[in-house]
Amino acid sequence: MTETSDILFRKLEKEFLLSRDQLALIVDGFLDEFKLGLKTPSKGLATMIPSFVTQLPTGNETGTFLSLDLGGTNLRISAVQLLGDGHVKVLEVKHAPSKELKTGPGDVFFDWIADAVEELITVKARHLFSPEQVAGDATLALGVCWSFPVDQTGVNRGTILRMGKGFTLQDTEGQDLAHMFHEAFERKGLNVKLSAILNDTVGTLVAHAYSNPRSRIGLIFATGVNAAYPEKVENIIKLDKETRDKYPAGTEMLLNTEIDIFGTEAYLPLTDIDLAMDKSHNQPKFQLYEKMMSGAYLGELTRLVAMDFIKNDALFNGQVPEGFDEEWSFPTMYMSALERDMTANRQVSLEKILGKYHFEQTPSLQDIAILTRICRIVSTRSAQLCSCAIAALIQQQGLVQKSNADIIVGMNGSTYEFYPFMEERVHRALREWFGVEISDRIRLEIAHEGGSVGGALIAMLAS
């Protein structure tokens, strides 16, 4: 390690590794944004969005329910058999809509969905249903995870807004989502009722609550980041008084925080690297928090830091590898691979990881060590920022003071689950914030199948 690289690492660690005071600014900033979101109507770009789901499962529920998960790429329809004692059995059909379907008439698209539902009920998962359900003599409840903007007005009502992600369906914008589904089911002779519309983060919390009923937070930490938690209805001021008064005192409703759009320059410790990346993004000044820590951005942050080291002759002999100067050319999976490979002979992994770049001189083991250390610093900050969301959600609910029981967080997502040492780093950051005694009560548990199991459970709870 040269004197120059030592100086650069000291500067990088000072800027990227957050002090407790910096963490406090973020946690307090999030708590303020919770309060603001609870009273700001959920129109357009909104946070703290009510799900109208007012209970969590006990883990003892049984029966077979349907869920539908539509994202930008795939349609996934699942038959979820709740077996009790927190156990489930899932069978699914998966289809990718063609460009013609995504841009054609809305009723044709919903008919295509109805055909897939019929395939699941009558062929793929027939044995999970009763003869009455297969024949259409008994109604099947469906939970829909609709990964597009919806102005939701009830657990099973919502107006379709402009979709995005390549979808420009004709004659759907402004229509009620449940109505579009029910018309298609009627045309196909299916006795299926849309019982719930949900967000995938709310689904994650509900799905994990089936396996651990004490779950109080659902957090997705993947390409993007988001979180859900239960909030007292009386605190959700954005719901009009007449709606709030319908619920018994003390009722809690699950909220989709949309924490990905939290964060302002007033309290986020943005570095020159963050600002440079944000400037190159097609949506500058948007999702600043997510850009500092989610899987979509970590690789580019690392590349920009590495470019700074190269320009200061502290990496790759000051030579920019061909292709490395291209924006977004260093994905987060390269960071993950570098941090995972702790073997003595790292030249092999170098060829696998950096093989797409052309080097004038083969990088040394020292170069690989420097690049890996950069990855570690960038990903450690990511873990610290993730811990801020968890800490704020714990404090918003007063979970530390309420009891001495464990605090259960359902965690889902590739960055948390598959990035090496991420789980340990998030735990370490929570320990720094709460201290050993309280942090030992915080249990981060892997939550699976928010869209499928969560959707079916919410359909069950709603029906």
Side-chain angles (χ1 to χ4, degrees):
M1 204 76 75
T2 65
E3 188 181 344
T4 305
S5 61
D6 272 345
I7 292 167
L8 289 170
F9 272 122
R10 281 199 296 273
K11 177 175 179 283
L12 183 64
E13 288 178 342
K14 187 179 178 187
E15 289 182 342
F16 268 71
L17 301 182
L18 307 178
S19 67
R20 201 177 188 286
D21 287 345
Q22 287 173 307
L23 295 176
L25 285 172
I26 300 167
V27 173
D28 289 345
F30 283 1
L31 290 168
D32 287 341
E33 295 213 36
F34 289 157
K35 291 187 184 74
L36 179 64
L38 284 169
K39 61 185 180 185
T40 306
S42 296
K43 300 289 182 186
L45 201 61
T47 65
M48 309 299 273
I49 300 168
S51 69
F52 299 91
V53 177
T54 54
Q55 61 187 120
L56 286 165
T58 64
N60 297 320
E61 295 85 355
T62 57
T64 303
F65 301 87
L66 294 171
S67 66
L68 183 152
D69 191 351
L70 179 70
T73 310
N74 291 309
L75 167 73
R76 197 164 58 124
I77 300 166
S78 306
V80 179
Q81 189 176 33
L82 307 175
L83 302 170
D85 199 26
H87 297 296
V88 297
K89 183 176 182 180
V90 182
L91 286 175
E92 66 175 43
V93 295
K94 189 174 176 179
H95 295 293
S98 65
K99 186 181 177 185
E100 289 73 26
L101 275 168
K102 291 164 81 169
T103 56
D107 56 357
V108 173
F109 181 77
F110 281 91
D111 282 350
W112 173 74
I113 291 177
D115 286 337
V117 172
E118 185 175 31
E119 177 193 347
L120 180 73
I121 297 169
T122 61
V123 182
K124 182 75 182 279
R126 185 186 181 98
H127 60 287
L128 296 186
F129 299 101
S130 69
E132 293 78 17
Q133 289 171 326
V134 174
D137 297 328
T139 305
L140 273 165
L142 169 71
V144 172
C145 185
W146 188 259
S147 301
F148 301 91
V150 173
D151 181 13
Q152 199 165 341
T153 52
V155 71
N156 62 347
R157 314 302 301 181
T159 304
I160 301 171
L161 305 176
R162 184 181 297 181
M163 290 177 69
K165 300 181 189 177
F167 282 83
T168 53
L169 294 176
Q170 299 160 24
D171 306 318
T172 55
E173 198 171 329
Q175 298 285 331
D176 181 78
L177 182 62
H179 181 67
M180 298 286 299
F181 270 107
H182 290 150
E183 283 195 326
F185 293 149
E186 201 172 311
R187 286 192 293 269
K188 298 292 178 178
L190 295 173
N191 190 357
V192 176
K193 182 186 177 188
L194 191 159
S195 298
I197 300 166
L198 66 141
N199 162 271
D200 58 351
T201 318
V202 171
T204 295
L205 174 54
V206 172
H208 196 60
Y210 189 68
S211 59
N212 189 335
R214 290 181 297 161
S215 303
R216 297 294 298 180
I217 295 167
L219 193 138
I220 293 177
F221 184 16
T223 309
V225 62
N226 198 6
Y229 78 102
E231 179 62 79
K232 287 190 174 68
V233 170
E234 60 249 40
N235 295 338
I236 311 172
I237 309 300
K238 63 169 68 184
L239 295 174
D240 60 66
K241 189 173 184 304
E242 187 181 343
T243 302
R244 296 199 305 274
D245 287 347
K246 288 177 184 173
Y247 297 95
T251 299
E252 292 181 323
M253 182 182 290
L254 305 190
L255 290 183
N256 161 24
T257 63
E258 287 295 346
I259 208 165
D260 55 306
I261 59 176
F262 279 28
T264 68
E265 291 169 89
Y267 66 80
L268 289 176
L270 296 159
T271 66
D272 289 344
I273 296 291
D274 294 306
L275 295 170
M277 188 192 70
D278 181 57
K279 199 173 178 182
S280 73
H281 196 268
N282 60 8
Q283 288 184 293
K285 305 293 184 187
F286 179 60
Q287 294 179 308
L288 290 173
Y289 168 65
E290 182 172 282
K291 283 175 181 163
M292 295 173 77
M293 52 87 72
S294 80
Y297 304 102
L298 293 177
E300 178 63 3
L301 290 168
T302 297
R303 188 192 70 83
L304 290 169
V305 173
M307 287 292 289
D308 193 40
F309 274 63
I310 294 169
K311 285 171 189 168
N312 285 281
D313 293 331
L315 183 62
F316 304 144
N317 293 312
Q319 301 294 314
V320 179
E322 191 178 319
F324 195 79
D325 55 347
E326 293 174 16
E327 291 177 348
W328 307 96
S329 65
F330 189 81
T332 301
M333 67 179 182
Y334 287 8
M335 296 172 65
S336 185
L338 278 167
E339 283 217 62
R340 185 174 286 110
D341 188 357
M342 306 300 283
T343 57
N345 182 10
R346 306 202 64 181
Q347 220 71 39
V348 178
S349 74
L350 173 70
E351 290 172 14
K352 282 193 294 186
I353 298 161
L354 301 180
K356 77 172 196 176
Y357 308 109
H358 178 69
F359 293 87
E360 289 188 15
Q361 280 181 280
T362 303
S364 64
L365 290 175
Q366 176 86 323
D367 286 324
I368 302 171
I370 288 171
L371 188 56
T372 304
R373 187 174 169 188
I374 292 170
C375 294
R376 188 162 60 245
I377 292 167
V378 172
S379 62
T380 297
R381 184 184 71 163
S382 171
Q384 289 182 304
L385 290 166
C386 175
S387 79
C388 290
I390 296 168
L393 288 159
I394 288 171
Q395 290 181 211
Q396 175 69 11
Q397 297 177 73
L399 297 180
V400 173
Q401 298 80 15
K402 274 182 182 172
S403 77
N404 292 320
D406 285 349
I407 296 165
I408 310 298
V409 183
M411 301 287 295
N412 175 270
S414 53
T415 306
Y416 179 77
E417 292 182 55
F418 305 124
Y419 194 99
F421 318 113
M422 186 59 78
E423 181 182 1
E424 296 162 38
R425 289 167 186 168
V426 174
H427 268 294
R428 192 183 309 134
L430 288 168
R431 196 178 307 124
E432 287 169 11
W433 179 255
F434 285 109
V436 174
E437 189 179 339
I438 293 169
S439 68
D440 280 353
R441 288 168 47 200
I442 302 169
R443 302 179 66 86
L444 307 181
E445 300 178 346
I446 300 296
H448 293 293
E449 303 293 351
S452 57
V453 176
L457 281 161
I458 293 174
M460 179 272 299
L461 292 169
S463 61

CSV table of all heavy atoms in Angstrom, one decimal, residues 211 259 410:
chain,number,residue,atom,x,y,z
A,211,SER,N,-45.1,-17.0,9.2
A,211,SER,CA,-44.1,-17.9,9.8
A,211,SER,C,-43.6,-17.4,11.2
A,211,SER,O,-43.2,-18.2,12.0
A,211,SER,CB,-42.9,-18.1,8.9
A,211,SER,OG,-42.3,-16.8,8.6
A,259,ILE,N,-40.0,4.2,1.4
A,259,ILE,CA,-38.9,4.9,2.0
A,259,ILE,C,-37.8,5.1,1.0
A,259,ILE,O,-36.8,5.9,1.3
A,259,ILE,CB,-38.4,4.0,3.2
A,259,ILE,CG1,-37.6,4.8,4.3
A,259,ILE,CG2,-37.5,2.8,2.7
A,259,ILE,CD1,-37.4,4.1,5.6
A,410,GLY,N,-38.7,-8.8,9.0
A,410,GLY,CA,-38.7,-9.7,7.8
A,410,GLY,C,-37.9,-9.0,6.7
A,410,GLY,O,-38.3,-8.0,6.2
